[in-house]
């Protein structure tokens, strides 16, 4: 939690959540599913989404890896084995 990587990931998640909330509010307004008369209301929704995302990252600390705001422990990367290039058969010229 006290690492720069943790906070960079948590802030990235919060910004993504805020952008998603803004798109939802804007899209719902465009199809008249939601009536936002002033954008202060929309801004409150966006800020709330970012705040909830940060709180979710903090709440996941006891369950996930301590260096990440995620609940999921990433799987270790499998070693990559080199692959031989396919060889072409010799071409026969017509005479």
């Amino acid at each position: 939690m006290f690492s720069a990587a943790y906070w960079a990931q948590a802030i990235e998640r919060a910004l993504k959540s805020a952008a998603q909330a803004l798109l939802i509010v804007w899209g719902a307004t465009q199809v008249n599913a939601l009536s936002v008369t002033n954008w202060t209301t929309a801004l409150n929704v966006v800020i709330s989404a970012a705040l909830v995302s940060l709180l979710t990252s903090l709440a996941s600390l006891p369950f996930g890896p301590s260096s990440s705001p995620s609940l999921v422990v990433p799987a270790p990367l499998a070693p990559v084995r080199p692959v031989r290039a396919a060889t072409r058969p010799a071409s026969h010229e017509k005479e």
Side-chain angles (χ1 to χ4, degrees):
M1 174 182 159
F2 297 109
S3 70
Y6 175 89
W7 286 107
Q9 291 174 25
I11 290 170
E12 176 190 1
R13 289 168 185 241
L15 290 174
K16 287 179 180 178
S17 294
Q20 291 166 351
L22 180 62
L23 286 174
I24 289 170
V25 169
W26 179 76
T29 301
Q30 295 301 310
V31 296
N32 294 326
L34 179 68
S35 177
V36 176
T37 55
N38 61 11
W39 283 99
T40 306
T41 304
L43 186 61
N44 286 334
V45 171
V46 169
I47 291 171
S48 296
L51 183 62
V52 167
S53 176
L54 282 175
L55 291 174
T56 303
S57 294
L58 289 173
S60 67
L61 276 173
F63 305 105
S66 62
S67 62
S68 171
S70 179
L71 290 171
V72 180
V73 177
L77 296 175
V80 178
R81 288 184 262 157
V83 178
R84 286 188 170 180
T87 57
R88 290 185 176 179
S91 62
H92 299 286
E93 294 181 17
K94 292 183 181 179
E95 294 181 25

